[in-house]
Amino acid sequence: MPHDISIVLRPDEAANETAVVRAIARKIDIPTDSIRHYYITRKSIDARKGKVLVNLGVRVFIGEEKIIDERPVFNYTDVRNAMPVIIVGAGPAGLFAALRLIELGFKPIVIERGKSVSYRKRDIAMLNREHQLNPDSNYAFGEGGAGTFSDGKLYTRSKKRGDYRRILQALVDHGADPAILYEAHPHIGTNRLPGIITRIRETILQHGGEVLFSSRVTEIILDSGQAVGVYLADGQRINGKAVILATGHSARDIYHMLHNQSIALEAKPFAMGVRVEHPQALIDAIQYHGIPRSEYLPAAAYSLVHQVEGRGVYSFCMCPGGFIVPAATGTDEVVVNGMSPSNRNSRWANSGIVVEIRLDDLADYAQHGIFAGLEFQAEFERLAKQHGGYGVQAPAQRLVDFVEGRFSSNLPACSYHPGLNSSEMHLWLPEHIGFRLREGFKAFGKKMKGFLTNDAVILGVESRTSSPIRIPRDPETLQHIQVKGLFPSGEGAGYAGGIVSSALDGSIVADAVSRYVS
Ligand code: FAD
């Protein structure tokens, strides 16, 4: 039986194999040469109590002990002539549904409105350089979905649903660093994600699946209340035994399409706010207690939450060493989000700071029915466009100026490439959000001394945190509550949030499709 042990090391020791082996031997009380093999099962940084240490979980094989390889294996079959299943959307939910369907012996036909990663990169460069947005190819739409040009954080709270390890292993098999298998807060980075996504597509194609780009779905084809295919914008009809709808939460046209087809939707709570950016050196100094960050430590992160008058105010999608990016999908809106490269080496630390929005906060939008939340988001995205100066520039304000209700006569350097426009955001953000943000920032300044500083800047608006609409499904069959053969999945369906939980959801939906058609 292997030994599962924990060791605590200094950051430089944890990066040194000889030091790790010595620590293992000391812990089990054996000579170093008795260690046949070991691998790390968990790595986390403990920066509490004024020190910075690394906790390692290690599985050790001693003497003649048999080395057991417990990595999940994938049995992809040839599905060229198998039963076709349509997947709308090539984000994490859609791609992982496709991989799972191939294992289960079905032929996935993945239909994506955007372009393949390499062409999508050019559109994103155009957006940042020339400020021209392609509504079908941007930070949210295109191969890999919203997760491709992101931080690639792989943390999820829903580890029980589906098999978290299988998702991580599949990412490693397609080129991710194996360290994601044991790090407490794994991330991939925007420089590595496109290659991984491309290799996932290659796996789908090699095994006989299909992937169609620049193909926007405009209608679900129903036959006796059952989904049997889709129409594309160019009028093409594609048939399948089932339809997995994994279009993400930015595809507002999909919600309208379903509503027009009398397919039920539900309003749900969501969150909205701003993105804050600090110098990374400041966040490092706070989190690492002023101890200079050595090459052995990652750029420091934070996670903050505070309750203000019955609503949570919290940090969302924190990107250490990252960049703020223009994440809008329409030309009449400004939306911000964050990403970072694998080594998280930019000079900035950014995070969404958002306020929980419940349905009773939307009384003024009641005339929009189930679209109330969506209209609320859209209105403040349009306001952000206006206050940003009607381009791709974002409205911005120094943090203390926002909290104290003052115009910022100048703004600090910021990672947001398209540029900033100084705006009195305290005046135009909805009061129930603005007030809670101000109180939240004050509380965060007490939890992290130095956080509330005018060296930080806020940008608006961070509106695409989660979907304001759910596409309801039966909890057992995972089919839409009214339409047989229609499987809403991922973040846009309201059943996931983030890369891994969307991938997990795609995977469990593929299992449900297999039960439905078998
Ligand atoms: P999506 O990824 O949104 O994919 C949906 C796909 O469907 C898109 O490719 C879209 O083009 C396509 N589509 C939409 N409509 C149609 C149509 N009509 N026809 C055909 N195709 C259509 N999450 C994390 O966990 N960690 C992070 O670090 C992180 N960083 C992020 C950074 C940024 C800049 C952004 C924008 C998001 C980030 N997220 C992050 C969120 C994460 O990307 C999403 O939660 C996740 O991608 C949702 O997966 P999904 O498959 O459900 O939907």
Side-chain angles (χ1 to χ4, degrees):
M1 285 288 283
H3 298 244
D4 286 313
I5 61 164
S6 312
I7 51 178
V8 181
L9 298 167
R10 290 193 321 262
D12 59 317
E13 291 172 330
N16 176 326
E17 193 157 355
T18 312
V20 172
V21 169
R22 276 203 210 107
I24 294 171
R26 241 188 345 261
K27 179 89 181 199
I28 314 182
D29 198 17
I30 51 168
T32 51
D33 56 9
S34 305
I35 299 171
R36 176 157 191 221
H37 180 66
Y38 76 90
Y39 61 85
I40 295 169
T41 53
R42 188 169 172 80
K43 180 179 179 187
S44 62
I45 291 171
D46 185 353
R48 294 169 300 170
K49 301 177 196 156
K51 282 190 260 177
V52 183
L53 295 167
V54 177
N55 292 329
L56 291 182
V58 191
R59 177 159 285 191
V60 192
F61 299 85
I62 298 173
E64 293 307 304
E65 267 172 10
K66 189 165 175 252
I67 298 168
I68 309 155
D69 187 350
E70 291 180 325
R71 281 176 301 183
V73 283
F74 300 88
N75 297 310
Y76 300 124
T77 54
D78 192 317
V79 294
R80 235 157 288 268
N81 300 314
M83 205 182 269
V85 174
I86 292 172
I87 300 172
V88 190
L95 291 176
F96 277 81
L99 290 178
R100 184 72 188 137
L101 283 173
I102 292 173
E103 282 193 279
L104 295 165
F106 299 97
K107 174 179 179 165
I109 303 177
V110 183
I111 304 174
E112 168 57 51
R113 77 194 295 159
K115 301 181 187 173
S116 66
V117 161
S118 49
Y119 288 102
R120 193 177 166 196
K121 270 187 187 165
R122 296 180 199 176
D123 291 323
I124 283 180
M126 279 293 281
L127 173 61
N128 282 306
R129 271 203 315 265
E130 313 291 333
H131 300 185
Q132 280 173 27
L133 177 89
N134 179 338
D136 283 318
S137 178
N138 44 56
Y139 276 98
F141 294 160
E143 189 179 21
T148 307
F149 300 98
S150 78
D151 184 45
K153 275 180 286 298
L154 301 175
Y155 183 68
T156 176
R157 288 196 189 90
S158 57
K159 288 187 186 173
K160 286 187 197 135
R161 291 176 61 231
D163 190 341
Y164 175 65
R165 274 193 70 82
R166 276 176 63 86
I167 302 295
L168 295 190
Q169 186 63 50
L171 289 167
V172 170
D173 292 350
H174 290 92
D177 183 339
I180 65 169
L181 298 173
Y182 57 75
E183 281 182 345
H185 293 283
H187 88 114
I188 293 183
T190 190
N191 49 324
R192 298 213 172 132
L193 281 156
I196 295 167
I197 300 293
T198 303
R199 286 186 281 276
I200 291 178
R201 184 221 311 155
E202 284 163 1
T203 297
I204 295 169
L205 296 177
Q206 273 158 19
H207 291 87
E210 286 180 31
V211 183
L212 312 179
F213 292 115
S214 302
S215 302
R216 185 163 51 84
V217 167
T218 51
E219 189 180 332
I220 308 286
I221 303 172
L222 302 175
D223 182 6
S224 310
Q226 209 161 323
V228 294
V230 294
Y231 279 117
L232 305 186
D234 63 5
Q236 204 185 330
R237 176 184 172 129
I238 299 181
N239 298 324
K241 281 285 170 192
V243 176
I244 297 177
L245 194 61
T247 43
H249 62 32
S250 285
R252 292 174 174 165
D253 50 350
I254 283 286
Y255 299 125
H256 288 287
M257 175 198 85
L258 295 171
H259 189 62
N260 292 340
Q261 289 193 254
S262 304
I263 297 175
L265 301 170
E266 282 170 8
K268 69 180 259 308
F270 56 104
M272 242 184 81
V274 295
R275 195 152 273 261
V276 66
E277 184 171 87
H278 290 80
Q280 180 64 50
L282 174 69
I283 299 300
D284 288 342
I286 299 172
Q287 299 298 71
Y288 294 143
H289 318 290
I291 302 164
R293 175 159 67 91
S294 70
E295 62 193 288
Y296 304 108
L297 278 177
Y302 59 82
S303 171
L304 292 164
V305 60
H306 184 66
Q307 290 293 318
V308 183
E309 294 198 355
R311 300 284 183 275
V313 181
Y314 56 94
S315 57
F316 173 82
C317 185
M318 198 263 147
C319 299
F323 300 89
I324 301 182
V325 297
T329 45
T331 49
D332 61 346
E333 60 201 31
V334 164
V335 176
V336 289
N337 211 311
M339 69 175 197
S340 62
S342 51
N343 58 7
R344 287 181 165 165
N345 64 348
S346 94
R347 291 192 282 133
W348 293 283
N350 72 70
S351 177
I353 302 288
V354 295
V355 178
E356 204 186 335
I357 313 282
R358 299 204 189 142
L359 302 184
D360 48 356
D361 296 325
L362 301 171
D364 292 349
Y365 294 78
Q367 76 271 24
H368 298 289
I370 41 150
F371 292 103
L374 211 140
E375 282 304 317
F376 176 76
Q377 278 182 331
E379 181 172 335
F380 290 97
E381 291 169 359
R382 285 192 294 269
L383 270 176
K385 175 104 182 172
Q386 181 188 325
H387 291 282
Y390 294 100
V392 184
Q393 293 91 337
Q397 193 168 12
R398 286 185 185 263
L399 181 56
V400 177
D401 290 345
F402 171 72
V403 170
E404 294 181 358
R406 264 195 318 257
F407 175 71
S408 297
S409 51
N410 57 43
L411 294 168
C414 173
S415 67
Y416 185 74
H417 204 273
L420 306 180
N421 196 26
S422 184
S423 166
E424 293 185 285
M425 294 174 66
H426 57 280
L427 295 182
W428 59 265
L429 280 174
E431 185 49 20
H432 60 102
I433 293 184
F435 158 71
R436 289 189 172 91
L437 283 176
R438 287 194 289 279
E439 293 306 308
F441 280 127
K442 285 184 210 162
F444 298 159
K446 287 183 189 143
K447 289 180 190 180
M448 280 177 67
K449 293 264 174 315
F451 186 91
L452 183 55
T453 165
N454 246 356
D455 290 340
V457 60
I458 60 164
L459 278 67
V461 283
E462 176 91 18
S463 49
R464 309 278 176 95
T465 55
S466 58
S467 174
I469 290 184
R470 178 177 294 117
I471 311 174
R473 67 188 191 195
D474 178 89
E476 289 299 315
T477 67
L478 306 189
Q479 293 172 65
H480 186 272
I481 52 168
Q482 294 167 327
V483 183
K484 286 210 168 57
L486 178 63
F487 292 81
S489 181
E491 194 163 47
Y495 291 96
I499 295 169
V500 170
S501 76
S502 300
L504 275 169
D505 195 62
S507 186
I508 62 164
V509 159
D511 284 313
V513 168
S514 160
R515 291 193 294 275
Y516 166 70
V517 293
S518 302

